[in-house]
């Protein structure tokens, strides 16, 4: 089974959920390797557990990002901007152009 | 047996522990941890007093620093150009208070929008800026690239993107967006509503209410004349014709999922628990109350909502019900127990199916 990556950007002033869901096997190889490379740089242990992540205290209308990777096992994280993890930022740059409103 | 020594370690600093975490500890912690957490929750009631004392200190400092800061009636605006950077440090100063318009439309829109927002809070509610102590108003425009968002960073800065041309165009183009962001600061200095679940949706609704009122006040519209739409002037093709509707939540655009009443409350992990979704419920209550009262929405309904945001019983974790009760209480105090205004407020929450 291939690796499936699902990124949801929610919140923001609009509160609109934008979802990018890709199966790496179905992507052109150049893009799949781009996603794989970015994914390998993401520090999944360095973030709060989903459901416990919160924006900076007092902040409002910042984006919330939920990332879920299904492959051998499941990995997920929830973060709010500003993004401190450069690996995650690269992944967002690759996936967000594919996101569609939910 | 309750360990008394814990009381000696009471500290206001404990208030920075998120209430959700405290509740977890009360549910799952050891006996000592549970009492300590419960005490911290209790300290929350004194939080308002401490905050007021702190605000007074800050105000005193500001008067010393800024000649105009303590007088009121005069905003202290600075607009920064972030030059499409994602850096959150202040960019290049583009326009300061009193300077004439510059060539950059986003800079002027932010400057004027903050001016209209300051004017609304000062002239209508007697509030001197974000913290009611003359706090400088700092706007950061051209943030990031194709950034379809605007936000309040919790530390006195409002960021605005240029839009992606799809969801939004330039976010400074609409005064209700600018009013919405500054109102997040007002909420932070008052009830400090936690940005999650119902208290978060209430926080969002406050920003839509005051954002909409800033626009109505600038246009001198009655509640009946107003369109009650949020973000009409900044939506791109995807979100046309508007972002949100207080009059008819859920109908502003094809993706609008806002409920208009509690029967349709949305449970979700996205958007901090749907804070921009469920805000439709208190938004609609305000619309119903304001239109029932008639006249200009800021004169009575806006005043009642503002007084309620400052009501001592509204705490950071307060939800719709607590706020609904506060609006009735404030309407009673200002207009009388059996006044038409109290009836209008009740009718609003009734329509939104928020039980008191």
């Amino acid at each position: 089974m291939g690796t499936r990556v699902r990124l949801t950007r929610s919140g923001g002033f609009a509160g609109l959920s934008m979802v990018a869901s890709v199966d790496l096997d179905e992507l052109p190889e150049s893009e799949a390797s781009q996603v794989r490379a970015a994914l390998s740089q993401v520090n999944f242990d360095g973030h709060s557990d989903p459901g416990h992540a919160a924006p900076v205290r007092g902040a409002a209308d910042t984006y919330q990002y939920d990332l879920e990777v299904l492959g051998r096992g499941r990995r997920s994280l929830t973060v709010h901007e500003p993004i401190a993890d450069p690996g995650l930022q690269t992944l967002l740059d690759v996936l967000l152009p594919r996101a569609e409103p939910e | 047996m309750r360990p008394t020594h814990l009381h000696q370690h009471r500290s206001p600093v404990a208030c920075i522990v998120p209430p959700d975490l405290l509740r977890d500890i009360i549910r799952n912690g050891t006996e000592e941890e549970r009492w300590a957490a419960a005490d911290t929750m209790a300290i929350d009631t004194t939080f308002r007093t401490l905050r007021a004392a702190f605000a007074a200190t800050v105000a005193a400092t500001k008067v010393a620093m800024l000649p105009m800061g303590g007088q009121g009636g005069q905003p202290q605006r600075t607009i920064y150009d972030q030059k499409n950077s994602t850096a959150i440090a202040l960019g290049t100063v583009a326009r300061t208070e009193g300077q004439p318009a510059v060539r950059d439309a986003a800079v002027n829109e932010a400057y004027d929008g903050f001016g209209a927002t300051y004017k609304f809070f000062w002239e209508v509610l007697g509030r001197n800026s974000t913290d009611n102590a003359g706090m400088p108003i700092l706007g950061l425009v051209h943030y990031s690239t194709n950034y379809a968002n605007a936000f309040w960073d919790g530390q006195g800065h409002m960021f605005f993107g240029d839009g992606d041309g799809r969801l939004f165009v330039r976010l400074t183009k609409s005064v209700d967006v600018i009013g919405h962001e500054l109102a997040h600061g007002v909420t932070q200095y008052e009830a400090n509503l936690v940005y999650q679940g119902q208290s978060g949706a209430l926080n969002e609704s406050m920003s839509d209410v005051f954002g909409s009122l800033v626009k109505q006040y600038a246009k001198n519209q009655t509640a009946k004349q107003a369109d009650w739409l949020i973000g009409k002037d900044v939506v791109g093709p995807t979100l046309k014709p508007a972002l949100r509707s207080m009059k008819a939540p859920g109908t502003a655009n094809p993706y609008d999922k806002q409920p208009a009443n509690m029967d349709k409350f949305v449970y979700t992990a996205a958007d901090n628990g749907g804070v921009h979704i469920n805000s439709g419920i208190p938004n609609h209550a305000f619309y119903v109350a304001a239109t029932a009262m008639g006249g200009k929405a800021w004169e009575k309904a806006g005043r009642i909502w503002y007084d309620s945001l400052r009501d001592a019983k509204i705490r950071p974790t307060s939800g719709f019900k607590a706020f609904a009760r506060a609006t009735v209480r404030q309407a009673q105090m200002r207009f009388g127990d059996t006044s038409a205004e109290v009836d209008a407020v009740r009718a609003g929450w009734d329509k939104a199916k928020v039980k008191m």
Side-chain angles (χ1 to χ4, degrees):
Chain A
M1 197 186 99
T3 302
R4 184 144 205 99
V5 182
R6 185 183 162 89
L7 173 72
T8 305
R9 184 188 76 188
S10 65
F13 170 67
L16 176 72
S17 286
M18 298 286 287
V19 180
S21 187
V22 297
D23 192 324
L24 294 193
D25 289 349
E26 289 167 10
L27 282 184
E29 188 43 43
S30 62
E31 290 180 45
S33 60
Q34 214 183 354
V35 174
R36 269 193 206 93
L39 208 48
S40 69
Q41 298 298 311
V42 175
N43 178 13
F44 282 88
D45 299 327
H47 301 285
S48 305
D49 295 332
H52 288 87
V56 174
R57 196 170 175 77
D61 296 336
T62 54
Y63 284 134
Q64 173 181 327
Y65 294 99
D66 288 273
L67 177 67
E68 185 184 38
V69 183
L70 292 170
R72 280 162 294 181
R74 176 182 179 275
R75 290 179 294 171
S76 66
L77 61 82
T78 300
V79 294
H80 292 77
E81 67 179 341
I83 306 295
D85 181 339
L88 182 58
Q89 185 60 58
T90 307
L91 186 69
L92 298 185
D93 292 342
V94 175
L95 291 177
L96 279 177
R98 298 177 165 278
E100 292 295 330
E102 192 176 56
Chain B
M1 169 91 192
R2 186 180 177 137
T4 47
H5 69 274
L6 287 169
H7 294 269
Q8 291 153 20
H9 298 284
R10 273 188 177 202
S11 158
V13 177
C15 294
I16 65 170
V17 179
D20 282 349
L21 178 60
L22 290 174
R23 269 194 291 277
D24 277 351
I25 294 169
I26 289 171
R27 269 200 302 270
N28 307 318
T30 65
E31 179 79 5
E32 285 208 356
E33 285 169 345
R34 289 164 72 173
W35 279 115
D39 274 354
T40 305
M41 294 281 274
I43 288 167
D44 218 340
T45 56
T46 62
F47 182 52
R48 196 165 290 270
T49 319
L50 290 164
R51 195 169 56 212
F54 174 69
T57 319
V58 173
T61 314
K62 276 207 192 86
V63 172
M65 292 191 313
L66 293 163
M68 301 296 285
Q71 292 175 18
Q74 174 60 51
Q76 299 287 341
R77 292 165 286 183
T78 307
I79 312 301
Y80 300 87
D81 184 354
Q82 299 305 106
K83 302 187 172 173
N84 301 117
S85 162
T86 51
I88 52 172
L90 296 174
T92 310
V93 174
R95 192 174 172 190
T96 59
E97 190 61 45
Q99 287 184 340
V102 294
R103 292 176 69 145
D104 186 334
V107 171
N108 297 329
E109 286 162 357
Y111 185 89
D112 294 343
F114 286 136
T117 304
Y118 180 92
K119 191 169 168 342
F120 165 79
F121 277 104
W122 175 252
E123 292 181 354
V124 177
L125 301 167
R127 185 180 186 86
N128 183 10
S129 194
T130 316
D131 63 348
N132 199 18
M135 183 175 177
I137 297 171
L138 311 178
L140 290 69
V141 301
H142 302 306
Y143 174 71
S144 190
T145 308
N146 296 326
Y147 189 70
N149 194 25
F151 66 90
W152 162 259
D153 76 347
Q155 292 161 60
H157 310 115
M158 288 160 276
F159 290 75
F160 298 89
D162 293 329
D164 59 354
R166 193 175 156 207
L167 303 180
F168 288 113
V169 297
R170 199 169 64 230
L171 273 296
T172 44
K173 279 185 84 169
S174 184
V175 74
D176 56 2
V177 178
I178 293 170
H180 177 106
E181 296 310 329
L182 197 144
H184 276 308
V186 173
T187 296
Q188 188 182 354
Y189 276 87
E190 295 298 342
N192 198 17
L193 296 162
V194 174
Y195 207 62
Q196 177 74 40
Q198 267 198 29
S199 59
L202 202 51
N203 187 325
E204 266 308 312
S205 179
M206 287 299 153
S207 277
D208 277 352
V209 164
F210 292 121
S212 180
L213 289 180
V214 168
K215 189 167 89 175
Q216 292 175 36
Y217 186 65
K219 292 185 162 193
N220 196 26
Q221 290 176 321
T222 63
K224 205 174 174 182
Q225 289 165 338
D227 61 18
W228 296 95
L229 295 171
I230 303 295
K232 186 166 73 101
D233 303 324
V234 294
V235 287
T238 305
L239 294 177
K240 271 192 183 306
L243 181 60
R244 289 186 278 274
S245 169
M246 298 176 72
K247 183 177 185 176
T251 68
N253 65 63
Y255 302 100
D256 183 2
K257 294 190 171 96
Q258 283 207 313
N261 65 62
M262 280 307 281
D263 289 350
K264 306 275 170 62
F265 189 92
V266 175
Y267 293 92
T268 173
D271 185 27
N272 297 298
V275 297
H276 294 84
I277 310 296
N278 294 313
S279 54
I281 297 166
N283 275 1
H284 193 53
F286 181 80
Y287 161 79
V288 172
T291 47
M293 286 177 209
K296 312 277 174 64
W298 61 84
E299 288 174 345
K300 293 175 178 175
R303 167 54 74 175
I304 293 166
W305 252 244
Y306 178 68
D307 289 346
S308 303
L309 181 63
R310 307 184 76 189
D311 187 304
K313 284 193 175 162
I314 298 301
R315 296 153 50 93
T317 53
S318 289
F320 297 170
K321 189 176 177 176
F323 191 77
R325 285 176 169 170
T327 58
V328 170
R329 195 159 55 238
Q330 293 296 338
Q332 285 172 336
M333 285 199 283
R334 190 170 286 270
F335 297 103
D337 284 358
T338 57
S339 61
E341 287 78 9
V342 171
D343 289 345
V345 168
R346 286 192 191 280
W349 295 110
D350 207 39
K351 193 80 198 293
K353 299 190 181 181
V354 174
K355 290 193 180 70
M356 281 184 262

